Amino acid sequence: MDFLSVNPPQDFEIVDPGYLGYLCLQWQPPLFLDKFEECTVEYELKYRNIDSEDWKTIITKNLHYNDGFDLNKGVEAKIHTLLPPHCTNGSEVQSLWSEATYWKSPQGSQETKIQEMDCVYYNWEYLLCSWKPGLGVHFHTSYQLFYWYDGLDHATQCPDYIKVDGQNIGCRFPHLEASDYKDFYICVNGSSDSYPIRPSYFIFQLQNIVKPLPPDYLSLTVKNSEEVNLKWSMPQGPIPAKCFIYEIEFTEDDTTWVTTTVENEIRVARISNESQQLCFLVRSKVNIYCSDDGIWSEWSDEQCWKDDIWKETLVFFLTPFAFVSLFVLLVTCLLLYKQKAVLKTVSCVT
């Protein structure tokens, strides 16, 4: 067979459907593909944010591919056509690359962007995001938050802003139906009468920013002179028991150490059976079986056990004293009884 070649895909472009970073890379089949009608043509697609060192690579038979990108940065992609070896006498044939780029036109200076964006998914139930205004922006600057994830028809504005002195500095989200384990896209942009405000883009997966409630109902039991049993209840809420990891801070007199467990109970060895006080507290986080990361809860209230030595000492001294007092009382009673009997006898004789 003569030397074979194939053209690159046509009309390769990166399209923004308005989903705050979820872009569509699309193309048309190459020219003169009819002579390879019996071949299954494939496409090798590579793409990345421009400052990234690594390309993502996809082999597909389709004419489009969707993925999420950080729109704070530019996007670049390239694609070529592949002919499989069975169509080309055993050697794979590749076309030249076709390239495309995408930039959100920058508006406003870098300093006008919001600062310190912080989003927490409290107890896997409700999402709250907060931020600080850009550096040096006027008091009348207004910020708006928009969000989107797969399942929404369009990007949606925050319905419940958190305000300070009339300025938006956060958002309380409504119940987010079927939003877990999906990319969650956020854009915070703004407006000002004096100058343009540069937007900020963020991508989260909500299960990775969950902050559970702390455990409660702690109990500490000293089993014997060597072992202590620590137990607590699973935090309230919708998070499954299998999704928790716990961090325990245990204090024995003046010595403190920390350990972790996936169970809501742990046995620890006492350092000394002469300990006067044992205390512990615990906090929780979503573990690696349910998320890539998580946020530690607040610490629980402290639970302590104290060795009441003063009571033992008091009992040690009072017990023999009580026996002695009882013996003296019995002897006294006996003597009084005998004395009464003698007096009665004398009275009868007289």
Side-chain angles (χ1 to χ4, degrees):
M1 183 179 288
D2 296 333
F3 175 76
L4 289 177
S5 65
V6 64
N7 289 311
Q10 301 181 84
D11 303 326
F12 181 43
E13 60 180 341
I14 302 172
V15 177
D16 185 353
Y19 295 152
L20 313 180
Y22 187 71
L23 304 181
C24 179
L25 293 79
Q26 60 187 36
W27 57 93
Q28 294 299 319
L31 294 172
F32 311 117
L33 198 60
D34 52 344
K35 61 181 178 180
F36 302 108
E37 288 181 354
E38 297 181 2
C39 293
T40 302
V41 176
E42 294 182 331
Y43 305 97
E44 182 179 18
L45 172 67
K46 292 179 177 287
Y47 58 92
R48 65 180 179 180
N49 276 110
I50 285 178
D51 65 343
S52 175
E53 295 182 359
D54 300 321
W55 293 86
K56 289 186 178 180
T57 301
I58 300 295
I59 305 295
T60 180
K61 300 173 185 177
N62 298 322
L63 297 175
H64 62 87
Y65 189 80
N66 299 336
D67 204 351
F69 296 87
D70 180 359
L71 292 189
N72 296 300
K73 309 162 187 174
V75 177
E76 60 181 342
K78 56 185 180 179
I79 189 170
H80 62 188
T81 311
L82 302 177
L83 293 181
H86 70 269
C87 295
T88 58
N89 279 345
S91 60
E92 185 178 71
V93 173
Q94 304 177 358
S95 74
L96 297 176
W97 291 101
S98 180
E99 300 180 351
T101 58
Y102 179 79
W103 291 86
K104 288 292 284 186
S105 299
Q107 299 177 352
S109 65
Q110 189 75 14
E111 290 75 19
T112 62
K113 295 175 62 172
I114 62 167
Q115 307 175 76
E116 300 180 27
M117 181 67 159
D118 182 42
C119 290
V120 179
Y121 198 23
Y122 287 96
N123 208 36
W124 216 311
E125 292 179 299
Y126 66 95
L127 176 64
L128 190 149
C129 292
S130 60
W131 60 83
K132 292 183 179 180
L135 295 173
V137 298
H138 293 169
F139 179 76
H140 62 260
T141 299
S142 175
Y143 290 101
Q144 298 87 35
L145 179 146
F146 294 84
Y147 66 96
W148 181 86
Y149 61 91
D150 187 16
L152 297 182
D153 294 332
H154 54 81
T156 303
Q157 185 172 181
C158 171
D160 185 13
Y161 284 108
I162 302 168
K163 297 176 180 286
V164 171
D165 297 328
Q167 188 176 53
N168 297 337
I169 55 90
C171 176
R172 299 181 187 91
F173 291 78
H175 175 67
L176 301 167
E177 188 71 31
S179 59
D180 303 332
Y181 301 99
K182 298 177 180 179
D183 286 338
F184 191 92
Y185 299 86
I186 289 177
C187 172
V188 181
N189 58 23
S191 59
S192 170
D193 295 336
S194 305
Y195 39 71
I197 304 297
R198 179 169 294 194
S200 298
Y201 295 90
F202 306 89
I203 305 175
F204 298 102
Q205 286 219 338
L206 297 187
Q207 75 278 359
N208 294 334
I209 54 173
V210 170
K211 182 176 182 178
L213 293 173
D216 51 14
Y217 302 110
L218 279 63
S219 68
L220 186 157
T221 306
V222 179
K223 292 284 188 180
N224 49 52
S225 61
E226 297 180 353
E227 187 178 78
V228 179
N229 187 63
L230 313 177
K231 192 172 183 179
W232 54 91
S233 65
M234 191 182 77
Q236 299 296 314
I239 305 175
K242 67 178 182 179
C243 290
F244 282 112
I245 185 172
Y246 302 98
E247 186 172 74
I248 302 97
E249 183 178 283
F250 181 75
T251 301
E252 183 173 353
D253 289 339
D254 296 326
T255 301
T256 299
W257 49 269
V258 176
T259 188
T260 58
T261 179
V262 294
E263 303 293 336
N264 64 328
E265 183 175 8
I266 189 172
R267 290 179 173 83
V268 297
R270 296 177 67 175
I271 298 173
S272 169
N273 57 15
E274 303 297 328
S275 304
Q276 306 297 304
Q277 178 171 283
L278 307 172
C279 294
F280 85 106
L281 36 78
V282 61
R283 61 181 182 174
S284 59
K285 187 172 80 165
V286 178
N287 62 33
I288 59 173
Y289 300 108
C290 298
S291 71
D292 295 331
D293 200 0
I295 302 171
W296 284 109
S297 73
E298 302 299 324
W299 286 103
S300 67
D301 294 332
E302 188 176 57
Q303 177 70 25
C304 290
W305 171 89
K306 293 183 180 180
D307 192 0
D308 295 326
I309 289 191
W310 67 273
K311 290 184 179 179
E312 294 180 4
T313 303
L314 190 62
V315 170
F316 178 79
F317 286 105
L318 288 182
T319 300
F321 178 76
F323 278 114
V324 171
S325 298
L326 181 61
F327 177 74
V328 170
L329 180 61
L330 289 173
V331 170
T332 301
C333 290
L334 182 61
L335 290 174
L336 288 174
Y337 177 77
K338 287 185 177 182
Q339 184 179 14
K340 186 177 180 180
V342 170
L343 290 174
K344 186 175 181 181
T345 304
V346 172
S347 175
C348 291
V349 171
T350 305

